[in-house]
Amino acid sequence: MKRIAVLTSGGDAPGMNAAIRAVVRAGLYSGLEVFGVSRGYYGLIYQDFLRMNSGSVADIIHRGGTILRTSRCDEFKEEAGRIRARESLRYFGINDLVAIGGNGTIQGGYKLAQLGVNVIAIPASIDNDIPGTDLAIGFDTAINTVSAAINRIRDTATSHERIFIIEVMGRRSGHIALASGLAGGAESILVPEVEFDLDKVVERLRQGLKRGKLHSIIVVAEGCCGAYALSEKIHEMTGMETKVTVLGHTQRGGTPTALDRMLASRMGKRAVDLILEGKKNRMVGFQGMKIVDVGLEKVVQGEKSIDLEICEIARILSI
Ligand code: ADP
Ligand code: F6P
């Protein structure tokens, strides 16, 4: 019986559990033996493997986090670590690995593939910064979490007629800020990909207040500029009370949305199909509402830019 392994690695993302469930169940359905690897690449190096059955993934489709646990494993960044990982897989008689994670996980998977392992990646990261896919698992849940937080902050911002700066995650990218800022009706959205002029940001605040706005919300991506430093500068320039909320890891937890569960289920099934078809070193993606697959090489060499049209729409709609 052919054996495959599945792991989750890097920052967790809501919907990873649904993806694990899909890989395990689709694999079992097709007569494969499926092993779960604990704590990502760390578990691969240290042979932390567990045989999965249908019950191992029961009652997890709606849960955030990852039942397989995850880690950031520096040892795997060294070739010696990756060779150990390959030997672990060989020891268990496995040559096909499904790696669920973000850009780092996919980089690592690509390097493992160069040592002869067949790696099929599933993109999962709240940052949504992975090339080759419109959506990564976890992004939709994260932007819903942020939008809900913006709603709450709006209430208190209006009552006190304050400016609020909300810092969101995204590492070096602005996808979360842009999507949640648009959905939350923010007055300004600051992202690392687009240079901003503080004078213009303040001018927008002033204009808004002049025409009767009771509050102003600025969504800022963590990779853009420090929210606290920005708040001080705006306070100096306007004299208005400017509060900061850093949403932090609240964005990584919580029950996955239906969209993330659907995406995870479809991607997990496709990952198993690719293995059964003998396809090598691919990432499952979602492009134009369709599940696709792209070469890992293309993914690691690619870049995912933000949609500048969304910036423009958000700017126009917040006058
Ligand atoms: P994410 O997958 O969410 O982007 P990381 O960047 O932490 O998270 O990557 C997850 C893991 O993938 C790292 O801890 C490391 O083990 C592995 N990894 C990341 N980048 C590389 C790389 N350039 N070469 C080899 N392994 C890598
Ligand atoms: O990649 C997901 C992410 O949540 C980024 O948005 C953030 O910069 C980073 O992980 C935080 O990592 P950690 O949980 O290790 O502090």
Side-chain angles (χ1 to χ4, degrees):
M1 199 188 266
K2 189 180 170 83
R3 294 178 158 185
I4 67 167
V6 56
L7 58 77
T8 50
S9 154
D12 63 350
M16 275 184 163
N17 277 330
I20 297 167
R21 172 180 179 270
V23 171
V24 170
R25 295 224 168 133
L28 295 174
Y29 179 84
S30 297
L32 302 176
E33 228 180 304
V34 187
F35 286 81
V37 182
S38 293
R39 300 185 181 82
Y41 293 131
Y42 180 88
L44 210 51
I45 293 173
Y46 291 98
Q47 296 193 0
D48 200 351
F49 288 44
L50 53 147
R51 183 135 176 236
M52 309 292 279
N53 58 40
S54 195
S56 325
V57 291
D59 204 25
I60 64 167
I61 193 168
H62 60 301
R63 296 190 198 280
T66 158
I67 59 158
L68 290 177
R69 312 280 175 253
T70 186
S71 69
R72 305 206 193 263
C73 173
D74 285 339
E75 223 175 318
F76 192 78
K77 290 186 175 170
E78 308 296 326
E79 190 171 37
R82 294 194 294 277
I83 290 173
R84 275 190 75 171
R86 179 190 63 189
E87 294 315 307
S88 301
L89 285 165
R90 281 193 178 161
Y91 179 80
F92 277 83
I94 299 168
N95 193 48
D96 299 271
L97 172 70
V98 179
I100 306 170
N103 273 328
T105 299
I106 296 167
Q107 280 277 352
Y110 175 64
K111 290 188 179 168
L112 184 63
Q114 286 164 334
L115 297 177
V117 176
N118 179 31
V119 178
I120 302 294
I122 296 181
S125 166
I126 63 162
D127 301 339
N128 203 32
D129 57 350
I130 303 165
T133 187
D134 299 343
L135 285 177
I137 295 165
F139 176 66
D140 185 60
T141 306
I143 62 174
N144 275 288
T145 302
V146 176
S147 303
I150 294 176
N151 293 345
R152 287 165 188 257
I153 287 169
R154 244 172 205 285
D155 291 344
T156 174
T158 307
S159 309
H160 287 265
E161 297 173 75
R162 280 169 170 163
I163 299 169
F164 260 87
I165 297 174
I166 303 173
E167 185 183 288
V168 301
M169 279 187 167
R171 213 179 267 190
R172 286 174 293 276
S173 76
H175 298 279
I176 297 178
L178 206 52
S180 59
L182 179 66
E187 271 64 37
S188 290
I189 305 170
L190 308 182
V191 295
E193 293 89 342
V194 181
E195 231 180 284
F196 73 92
D197 178 345
L198 188 55
D199 288 330
K200 283 196 181 144
V201 173
V202 168
E203 187 47 35
R204 283 173 73 76
L205 292 177
R206 288 205 173 107
Q207 274 175 9
L209 294 170
K210 226 192 212 165
R211 74 148 185 80
K213 276 197 180 187
L214 294 176
H215 65 254
S216 287
I217 290 172
I218 301 172
V219 174
V220 55
E222 65 175 342
C224 181
C225 59
Y228 286 99
L230 183 69
S231 142
E232 267 177 39
K233 280 190 198 147
I234 292 178
H235 177 63
E236 273 168 28
M237 291 167 82
T238 63
M240 277 188 70
E241 201 171 8
T242 307
K243 296 281 180 183
V244 173
T245 302
V246 177
L247 293 179
H249 288 79
T250 56
Q251 295 159 92
R252 282 244 296 266
T255 190
T257 59
L259 175 60
D260 273 329
R261 297 182 210 185
M262 291 261 297
L263 197 61
S265 301
R266 293 177 70 189
M267 285 182 167
K269 165 73 166 59
R270 173 62 70 91
V272 171
D273 287 347
L274 291 173
I275 292 172
L276 294 170
E277 288 160 16
K279 296 250 182 82
K280 304 281 180 217
N281 309 324
R282 314 285 294 170
M283 183 190 81
V284 181
F286 183 71
Q287 295 176 6
M289 302 303 281
K290 284 201 161 56
I291 299 291
V292 298
D293 56 276
V294 286
L296 285 186
E297 194 173 336
K298 225 172 155 190
V299 179
V300 298
Q301 286 168 0
E303 225 176 274
K304 179 157 178 191
S305 50
I306 55 163
D307 187 343
L308 292 175
E309 202 191 334
I310 297 183
C311 292
E312 182 61 0
I313 294 171
R315 195 183 64 76
I316 292 170
L317 300 189
S318 64
I319 51 170

